[in-house]
Amino acid sequence: MRFHQFCAPLAFCLALAGCANGNTDLAQGLNVSWSAGAAKRIVMVDPDVELSELTMGGITEARADWTATGKTFVRDDIISTLAAKGIDVAAADPPTDPREVQLVKLHGAVGASIFLNTLLQLPTKKKNFDWTLGPGVSALRDHYKGDYALFVYIRDSYSSGGRILLQLGAAALGVGVSGGQQVGFASLVDLRTGQIVWFNRLGNATGSLKDAKGATTTVTRLLSGLPL
Amino acid sequence: MMRPIRLLVLLLGAALAGCTAVTLVEPGKPAAVGDGVNVMPQVRWNQIAPRKGQTVWTQNGPAIDSVYFLTGIADGKPLYSVAGMRDADVGIFRANMLPNDVQDLVVGTMQKEGYDNVRAGSLAPCPFGAATGFCFDLDFATKDGLLMKGKVLAITRNNTLNVFEFRAPSEYYFAALVPTVDKIFASVEGK
Amino acid sequence: MRERRLLLACAGWLALTGPLAAAPLPPPGYEADMSGDEAGLWMQVDKAEAALKVAPNIVRDPALNAYVQGLVCRLAGEYCDTLRVYIVETPEFNAAAMPNGAIMVNTGLLLRMQNEAQLAFVLGHEITHFLHRHTLEHMRMAVHTGSVLAVIGLATAAAGVGYAGSAVNTLGVGAIYSNSRDEERDADANGFQIAMNKGYAPDQAPAVWRFMVAEDKAREHSGRIAFLADHPQSEERLATLQKAADSARSTRSDWTENADLYRKIATPFLSRWIEDELARGEPRESVVLFQRLSAADPANALYQYGLGEAYRRRNMKDDAPQAIAAYRAALACAEPPAEAWRGIGLVAMKSGDRPQAKDAFTAYRAHAPDAADKAMIDFYLTQL
């Protein structure tokens, strides 16, 4: 089932970049609630963060060192941001239980759909932000004892020195050459129902995840509007 | 090996090219899904860019769930095109195919489309409107390892094939939507 | 990860200077370079392995894993501990060694092996890629994300932003990297040595290439068998391996093939792997495959059944009687699959031979009372 026969895909103008300041979605009628008689606690699913270098030739090469530190910054910033709100964070390991594995993969598909929906609006989703992972999320709840789960996805590329020179040179000639980009989202799932109660898209080119200060900026943007 | 481009990517491209419309299908009245066949939608559906012989409905977007109405597939044609493959290599329908053959064709086509470990089961005769078609279940996985389930209703008549196919993740979505899909399949009327 | 890579580097250094005998010594001044693209690759490969560990189509059967892992260990000597085998259920014929010591072996490959020697030569080849730290300058990573956003990755890649590096292929489709010609020759030569040193019959090495090439020739459309796509110049390499086998053959008289042992290990899985192979929807290749397997092992009911199915699905002129013959051959073997009856029924029904179809379907239902498609077969019977 392919539609390419009708519509030749045009150059994708990175509508994501067009949403420069990100976009927050909130489930309607959201009532944040916590399990009685316990500390406020959320599960932070292992953040899916990857930093790469955009070389002069336009190839993206993953950088292990930047990724390791960037991921640590993101995790630490999330934990401290939530601690400041009096919320405990259970930092989940990458899942090994088959059910949890499927839940994380399902979240990927749902996240993709939410993203896709901003470009190709589904009429049934027009007036309501209504997405769920289903009640199977109780597996995560039972394992980590949190009321909500936070998913984070960031892909960040940074222009290499050569690339920056190229960009400057090209700009002088009036030609656009793409620089590093940042794509990401965060979502909050109610582990009692499976509903995605909050979804935030990161816009283009925010703080650098290569240093602590830049990471704080990114995480602040990422978690802006978090209804906790 | 050429890899089929994901439907999603093409939808993105198509959407931005301004030539894909997603329309709303309202319940309460019959919806035409091709080849003179109508079904009752039961609930609201998002309908993606119908073209001759192919209508797609989805609740949450094709990355999650979808119902494909493939109609009027003629002898010598594949169920649908797969990017980067000639029709003959995707596998073609033959008018003298038995239901077992069509089941194999659906499985083989899905494998070439890019799904993994596609298995079919529970092949049985099933009503297609007033006529007798056949139905079977599917289990498969996306390349990312998301486990999926499917349900197919099909009929061969007048040397052409109609295949209705529902796909959704195993986790939550298939079970949540299949009662509605069953009612849709049971509501087939028309030619 | 540091320790592994150190060991890896040692292995490479040693391999350049001699056989796998000596204990590893680090080359002077070696230091892991976390800022290099090699480290970036390692990160992705480690991620790929983590995803493999939880992939739904990893075969976890302890006996099969012990067997393949054991074989890898025997071939790799003291590097045994650095290698981890993952058996992936996919009908594509392929195996690949990742730079971090993870080795993927597809069930499609295991189906095609006729004996342990053949598997040993394939594994020897892959182990060599790992041991010799073959460079990854031609690395291609298939783009499939672990948990998120294939859409974004692909879409942004299309826009030239390039997030291709973010994704990992975890489900055994194609190799993770491809090597230079010299590296391939090295893997052939050294892999051949490794397996031969353990006593495996040298003729089995070119035998594998020969049947792979034959199956590949049966492909009509674009795209080679994955193993061949990743290991090019097959004619040349077949000739080289054949020469090597010719010189080595007479150096001993007690070469190991272990066909019986291999058959025993594979038997519990054959039915499923054959179903997977047929599900590919490539009957021309399946015919070539099952012709070879059933010719080498005519008493194997499942190979005959597979051949029958392949002919039936290929459905070219004269395939129908060939299919029936193969199904009947299956039924004449010990422990024939009930599906052979179904196959006869389907062929007979389509060619209008109602009595034969009726008998065959009746027999199928008798031998497989709980068949998943029994409702359909019963329906056919009402029409005959």
Side-chain angles (χ1 to χ4, degrees), chain A residues 12 14 16 48 50 54 60-65 67 95-96 101-102 104-105 108-109 111-112 115 153 155-156 178 181-183 185, chain C residues 34-37 39-41 43-44 47 54 56 145-149 151-152 155-156 158-167:
Chain A
F12 182 25
L14 203 56
L16 302 164
D48 190 350
E50 208 169 279
L54 185 59
T60 306
E61 290 175 353
R63 284 288 297 259
D65 48 351
T67 296
T96 52
V101 168
Q102 285 299 306
V104 171
K105 289 184 195 287
F115 244 108
Y153 172 94
R155 290 294 181 272
D156 215 350
S178 66
Q181 303 284 353
Q182 190 176 71
V183 169
F185 69 78
Chain C
M34 278 289 277
S35 68
D37 62 353
L41 167 66
M43 173 185 71
Q44 292 181 300
K47 240 176 137 175
V54 296
T145 60
S147 63
V148 287
L149 294 185
V151 173
I152 300 304
T156 51
V161 173
Y163 282 92
S166 70

Side-chain angles (χ1 to χ4, degrees), chain C residues 219-230:
Chain C
R219 284 204 162 196
E220 294 268 315
H221 55 89
S222 64
R224 317 196 60 194
I225 288 178
F227 193 87
L228 286 181
D230 299 328

Side-chain angles (χ1 to χ4, degrees), chain A residues 1-15 98-117 119-128 130-137 193-194 196, chain B residues 4-17 19-24 44-52 54 56 58-64 68 70 80-83 113 144-147 165 167 169-173:
Chain A
M1 263 125 335
R2 302 295 172 230
F3 297 89
H4 64 282
Q5 280 124 316
F6 274 166
C7 313
L10 299 178
F12 182 25
C13 63
L14 203 56
R99 188 89 192 262
E100 288 181 34
V101 168
Q102 285 299 306
L103 285 165
V104 171
K105 289 184 195 287
L106 179 62
H107 179 269
V110 175
S113 286
I114 295 172
F115 244 108
L116 190 58
N117 196 49
L119 306 162
L120 188 60
Q121 171 86 95
L122 300 176
T124 62
K125 302 282 190 194
K126 194 177 289 189
K127 297 245 168 57
N128 60 322
D130 177 23
W131 305 86
T132 184
L133 302 186
V137 294
T193 62
I196 298 185
Chain B
I5 303 173
R6 301 261 181 107
L7 171 65
L8 243 34
V9 179
L10 292 165
L11 279 176
L12 273 178
L16 293 163
C19 41
T20 300
V22 186
T23 54
L24 187 62
R44 299 189 317 160
W45 286 91
N46 302 295
Q47 178 170 275
I48 297 178
R51 51 185 291 202
K52 190 169 189 318
Q54 292 178 7
V56 184
T58 180
Q59 286 294 319
N60 300 284
I64 303 175
Y68 297 102
L70 309 171
Y80 43 84
S81 308
V82 172
E113 192 183 344
D144 301 324
L146 181 65
L147 292 171
E165 203 178 304
R167 304 175 184 178
S170 252
E171 179 63 49
Y172 177 68
Y173 279 94

Side-chain angles (χ1 to χ4, degrees), chain B residues 73-127:
Chain B
I73 299 161
D75 184 285
K77 293 292 184 200
L79 296 179
Y80 43 84
S81 308
V82 172
M85 292 187 109
R86 301 176 312 181
D87 286 353
D89 301 327
V90 177
I92 57 175
F93 167 66
R94 288 264 171 242
N96 69 344
M97 273 186 164
L98 295 167
N100 283 74
D101 300 316
V102 174
Q103 180 185 265
D104 294 339
L105 181 63
V106 168
V107 167
T109 307
M110 286 179 73
Q111 293 267 159
K112 286 158 195 181
E113 192 183 344
Y115 292 105
D116 284 340
N117 307 110
V118 185
R119 313 187 92 90
S122 304
L123 180 65
C126 282

Side-chain angles (χ1 to χ4, degrees), chain B residues 30-49:
Chain B
V33 294
D35 195 35
V37 177
N38 292 334
V39 297
M40 294 301 287
Q42 313 297 318
V43 295
R44 299 189 317 160
W45 286 91
N46 302 295
Q47 178 170 275
I48 297 178

